Amino acid sequence: MAKIEKILLNKEIPNLDAFRFQHPITTKYWALGGSSGWLGPNTTNITSCPDGVGSYQHYANGSIYYHPSTGAHEVHGLIRARWTALGWEQSFLGYPLTDETATPGSGGRYNHFQGGSIYWSPSTGAWEIHGAIRAKYSALGWEQSFLGFPLTNETTTPDGIGRYNHFQNGSIYWSPGTGAWEVHGAIRDKWSSLGWERSALGYPLTDEQAVYGGTGRISHFQHGSIYWSATAGSRILKERVKVHVKILEAPVSFTHNEQFAAMQEVYAMAGIQVEWATTENLSLPSLNDVDVGGCTMGTVTAEQITLFGNRNYVGANDMVVYYVRSTVPGYNGCAAYPAGRPGAVVVRSASRWTLGHELGHVLGLQHVSDNNRLMTGLGTFNITNPPPDLIPGEISTMIGSGLSTPL
Ligand SMILES: [Zn+2]
């Protein structure tokens, strides 16, 4: 210090500005081109924010805000207008964490703030997202996800409980008891037509998901589900059957997933959700070609009694499907079960529809001579119109079986 003081005293350095503290706002301003940059000339001095900690400077075409914990960042244009409308740094958004930044590849712009973000695109305008909804949007991939850009601020739902943002291709709904989940496409259209969260379904409990790896899609809600597939359309599911899988021998013609996806599609026509509850491998070689006798309801063999005794994890009104190599005599499956142990056997070479067909028997359905229907007695390999039909009387029987539970 002594040497510097001596130099200063001797006035050997003509310009003392080089030693003066430069405000971070000034540093940012000059990094962006200063008075000849796009921000243009300043319209205020550097001014303290109402919190007494941060500071800002306005310019002809924007502002720079500084806070010791965020640094100095510029805000301008319609994003700045949105931030202004919300209450600047005194709003829940707080101070900017970024300059206005181009979104990756989709023609939009955003600023992140301490308490959220504002996203803008030419066709959608500038809207804020924050909190759990923003976290979901981020997890899905921001504007590059199927949702696209926001179309609203976070908004209170008409029921006064939850919050939502609409986006170009969907919505994210949040409530304190359910969390934040996306809804989109035909399922969102159906939910919307019912009255959104004020409908009997309530709030979403999941994102939209593929049903057992198939082409069907489902979103679960507080009091039901909405299923969609190209062939079944949108279906409201208000009942559920629970199915436990016990594997003596894995299927070879159609995977478990394919069979469950097919069963869900046809059961969706009845408004029934199919829950694949648990899976257990059983080593029971002596039952792998299980004697089912005449496969007659109410008449079971000793082997069926032994096989159906395997009920780990199974609730009283749950159904069990036992996957075996074959039945003796040979069928695709057999739904005769011992009293109080509802379930069926399905052989490894069964068709895509056998699982739903056999459990249809367990739910009280009888054979029909019609290959357009799930309960065809002519062999489910011969079904001609996937998904096969369930008629209203059959649906009533299934829901009245005591094995289907309201959601
Ligand atoms: Zn049958």
Side-chain angles (χ1 to χ4, degrees):
M1 281 305 289
K3 188 175 183 185
I4 292 172
E5 283 169 8
K6 183 162 178 268
I7 290 168
L8 293 177
L9 287 169
N10 289 346
K11 301 180 189 294
E12 287 178 5
I13 295 178
N15 183 357
L16 294 179
D17 282 351
F19 287 92
R20 207 160 60 194
F21 167 75
Q22 186 175 62
H23 195 285
I25 288 178
T26 305
T27 304
K28 169 64 72 175
Y29 182 53
W30 286 105
L32 295 172
S35 55
S36 59
W38 56 265
L39 276 172
N42 64 301
T43 57
T44 67
N45 293 321
I46 294 175
T47 306
S48 286
C49 292
D51 65 10
V53 182
S55 49
Y56 67 90
Q57 189 166 29
H58 293 324
Y59 308 91
N61 300 310
S63 302
I64 296 175
Y65 271 73
Y66 167 81
H67 185 279
S69 63
T70 62
H73 301 287
E74 63 81 8
V75 185
H76 70 280
L78 292 174
I79 290 178
R80 179 177 177 274
R82 174 62 61 196
W83 190 46
T84 302
L86 293 168
W88 302 97
E89 84 289 350
Q90 294 184 282
S91 72
F92 61 87
L93 286 175
Y95 287 86
L97 296 177
T98 66
D99 293 345
E100 188 182 295
T101 305
T103 54
S106 39
R109 312 278 295 176
Y110 69 92
N111 281 76
H112 289 326
F113 297 84
Q114 290 174 297
S117 302
I118 298 175
Y119 271 73
W120 169 92
S121 83
S123 63
T124 57
W127 304 101
E128 65 79 13
I129 49 167
H130 68 279
I133 290 177
R134 179 178 178 274
K136 171 59 69 178
Y137 186 51
S138 166
L140 292 170
W142 302 102
E143 85 292 345
Q144 292 191 289
S145 72
F146 60 85
L147 287 174
F149 286 91
L151 296 179
T152 67
N153 291 332
E154 187 181 296
T155 305
T156 300
T157 49
D159 72 358
I161 298 168
R163 309 278 292 175
Y164 69 92
N165 281 75
H166 289 325
F167 299 83
Q168 288 175 290
N169 300 306
S171 302
I172 298 176
Y173 270 73
W174 170 93
S175 81
T178 56
W181 304 101
E182 64 80 11
V183 186
H184 71 280
I187 290 177
R188 178 177 178 272
D189 292 344
K190 173 62 75 174
W191 188 47
S192 163
S193 76
L194 298 171
W196 303 98
E197 83 288 347
R198 287 172 293 170
S199 72
L201 291 175
Y203 285 89
L205 295 178
T206 65
D207 293 338
E208 184 182 304
Q209 48 196 243
V211 177
Y212 301 124
T215 54
R217 309 285 297 178
I218 200 165
S219 287
H220 298 298
F221 297 84
Q222 289 175 291
H223 310 295
S225 304
I226 299 176
Y227 174 92
W228 175 91
S229 75
T231 46
S234 296
R235 301 282 171 166
I236 302 159
L237 313 185
K238 293 290 288 176
E239 294 273 330
R240 177 180 59 205
V241 293
K242 288 178 74 171
V243 181
H244 299 264
V245 172
K246 309 291 188 192
I247 305 170
L248 284 70
E249 179 134 341
V252 292
S253 297
F254 295 93
T255 64
H256 291 118
N257 265 332
E258 289 170 326
Q259 296 183 42
F260 269 90
M263 179 177 172
Q264 178 62 88
E265 185 168 37
V266 66
Y267 277 50
M269 318 291 264
I272 297 175
Q273 183 206 325
V274 177
E275 181 181 333
W276 179 351
T278 67
T279 306
E280 183 184 19
N281 289 302
L282 296 179
S283 182
L284 298 168
S286 66
L287 298 174
N288 209 8
D289 302 294
V290 61
D291 172 16
V292 296
C295 188
T296 307
M297 220 48 104
T299 307
V300 289
T301 67
E303 289 194 1
Q304 282 171 302
I305 291 170
T306 306
L307 181 62
F308 282 70
N310 292 279
R311 289 178 60 82
N312 285 339
Y313 325 121
V314 179
N317 294 323
D318 301 351
M319 295 188 287
V320 186
V321 56
Y322 300 89
Y323 279 92
V324 298
R325 182 165 53 206
S326 71
T327 61
V328 179
Y331 301 112
N332 269 336
C334 173
Y337 58 87
R341 295 175 176 176
V345 296
V346 170
V347 303
R348 65 177 184 175
S349 58
S351 86
R352 179 187 297 275
W353 305 107
T354 300
L355 174 65
H357 174 100
E358 296 303 339
L359 295 182
H361 285 310
V362 175
L363 293 169
L365 303 187
Q366 306 292 322
H367 276 159
V368 293
S369 295
D370 184 345
N371 282 337
N372 282 333
R373 286 166 62 179
L374 177 67
M375 297 315 294
T376 178
L378 308 173
T380 54
F381 276 107
N382 300 313
I383 281 172
T384 47
N385 64 329
D389 298 336
L390 288 165
I391 64 168
E394 290 174 324
I395 292 169
S396 299
T397 299
M398 295 165 82
I399 291 171
S401 65
L403 302 176
S404 169
T405 310
L407 290 167

